[in-house]
Amino acid sequence: MSDLGDKAKDFANSDKGEQATDAGLSKAGDAADKATGGGHGEQVDKAEQAADDKIGK
């Protein structure tokens, strides 16, 4: 099972993977923004950036 995790990590670190994870995080951020009525945009943006920093290494 760790082989699957390694493959996922390798994909996330590729250019194509970076684009995919960025798109997913953006979609999640948009959904969170919509759910909160846009009242927490700055916090949502910070959370998106923190997640991107962790995933996109």
Side-chain angles (χ1 to χ4, degrees):
M1 197 60 147
S2 67
D3 188 42
L4 181 61
D6 290 339
K7 286 181 183 182
K9 193 180 274 188
D10 288 343
F11 176 74
N13 288 331
S14 71
D15 288 339
K16 189 174 181 179
E18 178 67 21
Q19 291 173 351
T21 58
D22 285 351
L25 289 171
S26 179
K27 233 179 189 182
D30 291 346
D33 220 15
K34 185 177 179 182
T36 62
H40 300 284
E42 189 174 318
Q43 290 86 351
V44 170
D45 290 344
K46 284 181 183 179
E48 273 185 69
Q49 187 59 52
D52 188 39
D53 290 347
K54 286 285 188 182
I55 293 171
K57 290 195 175 196

